[in-house]
Amino acid sequence: MPALLSIKNLSVDFISEDETVSALKNISFDVHRGEILALVGESGSGKSVTSLSVLKLLPASAQYSNGEILFSENGTETEDLLKKNSKELQPVRGNKIAMIFQEPMTSLNPVITCGKQVTEAIQQHQKLSFHAAKTKTIEWFQKVKLPDPDSVFTRYPHQLSGGQKQRVMIAMAMCCHPSLLICDEPTTALDVTVQKTILELIKELQTESNMGVIFITHDLGLVAEIADRALVMYRGEMVEHGFVRDLFINAKHPYTKALLACRPANHKKNERLPVVSDFINSKEETKSQETEPLVLIKEQQKDDQQSVLLQVENLSVWFPTKKSFLGKPIEFTKAVNDVSFSVYKGETLGLVGESGCGKTTLGRTLLRLIEPTSGKIIYNGTDLAKKRKEELASLRKDIQIVFQDPYSSLNPRLTIGSAIAEPLKVHHLISKQKVRKEKVVELLEKVGLKAEHFSRYPHEFSGGQRQRIVIARALALSPSFLVCDESVSALDVSVQAQVLNLLNDLKKEYGFTIVFISHDLSVVYYISDRIMVMNKGKIEETGSAETVYHKPQTEYTQKLIAAIPGGKVA
């Protein structure tokens, strides 16, 4: 019996006026019914180009220079999808072959209710009335375990959480019972617990319908959870493929070894994370090197009030959700609710929890980017909560933040040199332009970039490079306190390793204190001295990284640790 999908010698080039870029080079693989094949690689490896090629969804600049994409739904008739035009592909797209895209917010129409979007997909391929399609949509909302399916039907995408939007996308993809499902990074940047439920859901639906699945990811930890076979891609080429167990036990290609080695969950604290270049640039595997132990906060120091850099007392941040007839708030969302904790000089405090737990709100409130409802934020003996905005200006030099999305936190019209120099100008630290440029170049080199990058714009850099740029900008004022808000959550595992190594190196050199916010406990454990777990606006538990990670006291923390893909640190 022929494979459900067979890609043979596929090559794709992107053609522009200036150059031709080879995105895929002679890719060949099969997908069978009832199996999950993982396409693994970093951004730019060609895995998404491969998946989009199946349904010919690539932009007009793409040219299929070679190959075949053979699809056989019933096992007897085979059709080459590359030879079909858009009109001929309509009965295939969303019906026989469906796709779940990486970012549901940009894939769902923001001005159409979730229910209507799914019913449209059903009516497009099946001759059903709106009422019958609505009934089927609600049934699928129940299958993908959305809470209150009838209510979700009438809601718009912005009214749902990230995990709920992804479930709507899965319902839309599955509602016509496709033979092949393509999942393009469907869990990137989701909480580990939400990620785990999405993976279980895809596996469950795949088993029920006996469909084939192509699962695209950069994380081999996820591959271990869900896939039967894996195909590793690097710079548009297939470098290794085989059964998942074989790849994990006996990886052959240096790139596969690098992807396995880069995950923080595979390393002890204070052990320098290896990066792809350690493996690709040498024939022999480079062993991870021990860094000098980071300065940990000793228990006896915690009793010494001189070592406390930040003291938070009974801090609350409430957002009004309902007002009276006279406009007075009567109902609130308690994003942060009566929270108290200390941050010690020179430590990295990990703040972990699911989306909506209040960790980002707390991090931004510490800097007064969000106004507190009540409580104290005592930094170096000064209560920031009582300071007027103009009085805070002088303190901004000392307290900086690295945001989750570096692209949206950089001005696209400013070169990165100007962006990094801007805080130096605002705070009147360096008046001469030449000296400012020298300082910026020094910072760029400090974070692993080059002097010639000074005049480039944000869109000319990769995600990992942009993250380095915003770290350089945060360090321009030599702060003593840094808040990192989900600063590695959406990065490839190898780029994530580079950024974590960089933060550790810079912390050792500059001696600043970090509050590191993340939903991934394996990353938080690796980089933190202490861990604070947050849930529903409250502090669930606090303790040393070793204690919280290996001996969690609460059921919520145990759930977060159990959801880490590929297992936790031994």
Side-chain angles (χ1 to χ4, degrees):
M1 181 180 287
L4 179 64
L5 183 78
S6 184
I7 293 180
K8 297 183 177 181
N9 300 315
L10 180 64
S11 295
V12 177
D13 298 327
F14 284 90
I15 300 172
S16 65
E17 294 180 2
D18 302 324
E19 60 179 339
T20 298
V21 177
S22 296
L24 293 182
K25 304 166 189 173
N26 295 315
I27 297 295
S28 298
F29 64 88
D30 295 336
V31 183
H32 299 274
R33 275 194 176 275
E35 78 163 347
I36 298 179
L37 172 71
L39 295 188
V40 190
E42 298 172 287
S43 298
S45 64
K47 57 190 189 299
S48 290
V49 174
T50 303
S51 67
L52 292 169
S53 296
V54 174
L55 293 172
K56 293 184 73 174
L57 295 175
L58 291 173
S61 60
Q63 178 179 303
Y64 301 95
S65 53
N66 186 45
E68 298 175 305
I69 301 178
L70 305 176
F71 178 63
S72 177
E73 184 182 24
N74 52 22
T76 55
E77 297 178 12
T78 301
E79 48 190 344
D80 187 352
L81 300 181
L82 276 186
K83 293 181 178 178
K84 293 181 177 290
N85 58 35
S86 292
K87 188 174 181 181
E88 292 170 330
L89 281 170
Q90 279 184 4
V92 178
R93 291 172 176 165
N95 186 26
K96 297 177 182 179
I97 302 176
M99 191 162 184
I100 302 170
F101 294 95
Q102 179 172 351
E103 180 45 69
M105 194 63 212
T106 54
S107 304
L108 293 170
N109 192 322
V111 297
I112 300 177
T113 62
C114 295
K116 189 175 181 183
Q117 293 187 59
V118 179
T119 57
E120 281 182 353
I122 294 171
Q123 289 184 293
Q124 174 76 23
H125 298 290
Q126 300 175 19
K127 294 180 180 179
L128 294 176
S129 66
F130 177 79
H131 179 73
K134 179 180 177 180
T135 302
K136 191 170 182 179
T137 297
I138 292 174
E139 287 174 0
W140 270 106
F141 282 175
Q142 290 171 335
K143 279 189 179 183
V144 299
K145 300 171 186 175
L146 277 164
D148 195 2
D150 291 295
S151 173
V152 172
F153 189 92
T154 60
R155 290 187 196 173
Y156 291 90
H158 73 273
Q159 295 175 301
L160 304 180
S161 70
Q164 288 171 339
K165 284 194 284 278
Q166 199 61 279
R167 288 167 190 265
V168 171
M169 285 291 298
I170 293 172
M172 190 185 299
M174 293 294 299
C175 64
C176 294
H177 305 281
S179 300
L180 177 67
L181 180 65
I182 301 171
C183 306
D184 187 4
E185 299 268 16
T187 60
T188 297
L190 291 180
D191 298 329
V192 284
T193 49
V194 178
Q195 176 178 264
K196 189 177 180 70
T197 57
I198 294 294
L199 293 176
E200 289 172 348
L201 178 60
I202 291 171
K203 185 77 174 175
E204 183 183 319
L205 294 172
Q206 179 261 342
T207 304
E208 281 179 13
S209 59
N210 195 39
M211 64 182 174
V213 176
I214 298 175
F215 190 90
I216 298 166
T217 182
H218 61 256
D219 188 353
L220 275 166
L222 292 182
V223 174
E225 295 282 324
I226 195 170
D228 303 306
R229 290 188 299 125
L231 187 154
V232 183
M233 297 186 70
Y234 179 63
R235 293 184 177 178
E237 298 184 75
M238 187 177 74
V239 296
E240 190 164 2
H241 71 281
F243 290 104
V244 169
R245 181 177 175 81
D246 295 337
L247 282 181
F248 271 74
I249 294 174
N250 191 25
K252 298 284 195 301
H253 196 275
Y255 184 65
T256 311
K257 294 178 182 179
L259 291 179
L260 286 166
C262 288
R263 298 174 61 237
N266 293 335
H267 296 271
K268 298 175 182 177
K269 292 177 68 62
N270 302 329
E271 186 177 70
R272 191 169 188 80
L273 297 174
V275 295
V276 169
S277 59
D278 294 336
F279 294 80
I280 299 298
N281 294 340
S282 60
K283 292 183 179 179
E284 295 184 4
E285 179 178 336
T286 302
K287 293 183 179 180
S288 58
Q289 299 174 348
E290 294 282 340
T291 59
E292 294 178 30
L294 299 176
V295 179
L296 301 178
I297 305 301
K298 298 178 181 178
E299 290 299 322
Q300 60 265 31
Q301 283 184 305
K302 295 179 183 178
D303 296 327
D304 179 7
Q305 290 302 308
Q306 293 300 313
S307 68
V308 175
L309 180 68
L310 183 78
Q311 182 77 39
V312 175
E313 298 178 4
N314 307 112
L315 184 66
S316 293
V317 184
W318 295 4
F319 298 108
T321 54
K322 189 176 180 180
K323 295 182 178 181
S324 67
F325 179 74
L326 297 174
K328 185 178 180 181
I330 54 175
E331 290 184 11
F332 299 87
T333 295
K334 298 178 180 179
V336 178
N337 192 18
D338 197 28
V339 164
S340 299
F341 63 93
S342 300
V343 182
Y344 301 96
K345 289 179 182 177
E347 80 167 338
T348 298
L349 174 68
L351 179 57
V352 70
E354 297 174 288
S355 294
C357 71
K359 60 187 186 296
T360 292
T361 301
L362 176 57
R364 295 188 179 194
T365 305
L366 296 181
L367 280 73
R368 285 281 303 274
L369 298 178
I370 294 175
E371 292 300 319
T373 305
S374 61
K376 296 180 179 180
I377 308 167
I378 303 170
Y379 175 77
N380 264 342
T382 302
D383 188 356
L384 302 185
K386 291 182 178 178
K387 289 282 185 182
R388 296 195 305 272
K389 286 190 176 181
E390 54 270 24
E391 292 177 314
L392 285 170
S394 60
L395 288 168
R396 295 289 183 205
K397 297 195 297 292
D398 231 20
I399 309 173
Q400 291 289 303
I401 186 168
V402 178
F403 293 101
Q404 178 174 358
D405 182 2
Y407 192 72
S408 62
S409 61
L410 289 168
N411 188 331
R413 295 182 176 182
L414 286 182
T415 64
I416 64 152
S418 299
I420 297 171
E422 191 175 36
L424 296 171
K425 289 173 66 177
V426 168
H427 290 279
H428 310 291
L429 294 181
I430 303 175
S431 57
K432 292 183 179 180
Q433 186 175 348
K434 183 182 177 182
V435 181
R436 271 203 307 271
K437 183 173 181 178
E438 289 172 355
K439 173 69 174 176
V440 171
V441 168
E442 180 189 330
L443 286 165
L444 285 173
E445 291 175 345
K446 194 74 75 176
V447 298
L449 296 173
K450 298 177 181 177
E452 54 261 35
H453 292 148
F454 184 94
S455 300
R456 295 186 189 177
Y457 290 88
H459 72 272
E460 297 180 80
F461 295 89
S462 69
Q465 287 174 320
R466 284 196 289 264
Q467 198 63 273
R468 290 168 179 268
I469 291 163
V470 295
I471 290 172
R473 186 177 63 178
L475 293 177
L477 300 173
S478 301
S480 58
F481 184 61
L482 195 63
V483 176
C484 295
D485 185 9
E486 296 276 14
S487 53
V488 298
S489 64
L491 298 178
D492 293 331
V493 283
S494 61
V495 180
Q496 181 186 83
Q498 292 172 18
V499 174
L500 291 175
N501 285 340
L502 174 65
L503 283 172
N504 273 340
D505 291 344
L506 292 172
K507 181 189 170 188
K508 190 162 60 175
E509 181 176 346
Y510 288 96
F512 49 72
T513 303
I514 303 177
V515 170
F516 188 90
I517 300 171
S518 179
H519 60 257
D520 188 342
L521 251 172
S522 64
V523 173
V524 171
Y525 167 76
Y526 169 78
I527 200 168
S528 301
D529 303 315
R530 288 190 303 135
I531 295 177
M532 189 163 69
V533 182
M534 201 167 179
N535 183 25
K536 296 178 181 177
K538 293 273 193 180
I539 301 300
E540 191 85 7
E541 69 175 288
T542 306
S544 69
E546 294 288 343
T547 302
V548 173
Y549 195 75
H550 291 294
K551 297 177 181 178
Q553 300 300 305
T554 68
E555 185 179 340
Y556 178 74
T557 310
Q558 291 166 5
K559 185 178 75 167
L560 288 179
I561 292 171
I564 296 170
K568 68 171 188 173
V569 179

